[in-house]
Amino acid sequence: MRSRAAAYPLIAVLGWGVMFPVLASALNRVDPLNLTTARYLLAAVVLVAILLLREGVDALRPGARMAEVVILGVVGFAGFNMLTGLALEHADPQQVSLFVATTPVITQLVRWARDGVRPKPLLLGLSLVALLGVGLVITRGSLAGLGQFGVGGLMMIGAVLGWGIYTHGASRFGGWSPLRFTTLTALAGTAAMLAASIGADAVGWQHAPAAADLVAVTPQLAYAVIVGAVIAVLAWNTGVQRLGAANAALFMNLVPVTTFAVQIARGYRPEPVELVGAAVTIAALIAANLANRPRTRTSSLPGASAVTDPIAVTDRAAVSAR
């Protein structure tokens, strides 16, 4: 049963790992902010449709929690996705994916800052080792390559931090279904993305795509919306529900592995030091997740267990649909 449940987060991380090269290829025709906005305008429509079918129109009303929804939507959805899109202009997909793999660790650091729950010293040490591995990939083992970290790396630090804040904030919405929380924060984030894109177009920082450009990247958009923003998220949240957040989080370390595999299949030939750096990062992140795995306790019901401190939103709607 657990092996079958593991298929859900596996589907999610494979989908996300492929998505970075896919999005990078679309940047040849559409600027990153406009590409991100187009992607989430379409994804928001799909999410709203699913929410209306499952929970009705009342679920679209955030009520007294409007401010929280807007903040988390802007910081999480808009911040993470816009910064990731911009970073792909300055860094290779495999480099970006390594930063994304640090999300579980970053979430624990956010929890430390917000709730005062201090991570284990071992976790902090392994986090530094993971960043060292990222540095090896980006610089290719040469101090002369430090300049390649630059803007792209800084953007990804901000992106992952934003997603860590979003993930931590999700724990405050226990009274909502994860589908409702995801949809409403996605709507807030999409509105912020749209405003940023319009502003960037107005000042000439980027240019609104022509219809021909959008048609040219239709396959990439279709993948990013259907697989990356809908199927992968629902599969991920189902896996978290069945396996627990700590076990499911381990699968995030497969994101850079998948991205590297896609890039190699496309003709990229990594240097040995890059493979060493990727291996160091992945090994450190796996060790960090294992070290931080919460203990489970068996309840009074046979076969039931409780996992404390979940770090991701679980989609009960997706689970009930099985």
Side-chain angles (χ1 to χ4, degrees), residues 211-252:
D213 294 322
L214 291 175
V215 170
V217 300
T218 295
Q220 292 95 319
L221 275 176
Y223 181 91
V225 171
I226 297 172
V227 178
V230 178
I231 294 176
V233 172
L234 291 178
W236 173 257
N237 289 332
T238 302
V240 171
Q241 177 71 26
R242 297 187 179 188
L243 294 174
N247 290 327
L250 291 172
F251 286 85
M252 286 296 291

Side-chain angles (χ1 to χ4, degrees), residues 245-268:
N247 290 327
L250 291 172
F251 286 85
M252 286 296 291
N253 301 298
L254 294 176
V255 171
V257 175
T258 304
T259 302
F260 264 84
V262 171
Q263 290 296 83
I264 291 172
R266 297 177 65 199
Y268 177 74

Side-chain angles (χ1 to χ4, degrees), residues 60-73 173 176 184-185 188:
L60 287 173
R61 301 187 180 97
R65 311 202 72 173
M66 171 69 81
E68 293 176 88
V69 166
V70 171
I71 291 172
L72 291 174
F173 286 75
W176 288 18
L184 293 188
T185 51

Side-chain angles (χ1 to χ4, degrees), residues 272-301:
V273 70
E274 292 182 79
L275 296 177
V276 170
V280 167
T281 297
I282 293 166
L285 291 171
I286 290 175
N289 277 284
L290 289 172
N292 198 58
R293 180 183 295 181
R295 296 180 179 180
T296 60
R297 56 182 176 83
T298 304
S299 72
S300 57
L301 296 177

Side-chain angles (χ1 to χ4, degrees), residues 50-137:
I50 295 173
L51 182 63
L52 288 174
L53 288 172
R54 299 304 299 271
E55 301 185 29
V57 68
D58 287 342
L60 287 173
R61 301 187 180 97
R65 311 202 72 173
M66 171 69 81
E68 293 176 88
V69 166
V70 171
I71 291 172
L72 291 174
V74 171
V75 172
F77 269 94
F80 176 81
N81 287 288
M82 287 192 299
L83 287 173
T84 298
L86 291 169
L88 284 169
E89 283 196 316
H90 302 276
D92 295 330
Q94 61 270 23
Q95 297 173 358
V96 170
S97 68
L98 281 171
F99 280 99
V100 173
T102 65
T103 300
V105 174
I106 294 296
T107 301
Q108 293 302 315
L109 296 179
V110 170
R111 182 169 175 258
W112 183 13
R114 294 290 301 275
D115 299 338
V117 180
R118 185 186 182 95
K120 300 175 183 178
L122 177 60
L123 176 64
L124 296 178
L126 289 170
S127 301
L128 294 177
V129 174
L131 291 177
L132 174 62
V134 173
L136 286 175
V137 174

Side-chain angles (χ1 to χ4, degrees), residues 114-174:
R114 294 290 301 275
D115 299 338
V117 180
R118 185 186 182 95
K120 300 175 183 178
L122 177 60
L123 176 64
L124 296 178
L126 289 170
S127 301
L128 294 177
V129 174
L131 291 177
L132 174 62
V134 173
L136 286 175
V137 174
I138 293 175
T139 65
R140 293 179 171 86
S142 172
L143 291 178
L146 285 175
Q148 298 182 31
F149 179 84
V151 177
L154 291 176
M155 286 179 175
M156 284 312 301
I157 291 175
V160 175
L161 179 59
W163 194 252
I165 293 172
Y166 175 86
T167 302
H168 177 270
S171 64
R172 302 172 185 271
F173 286 75

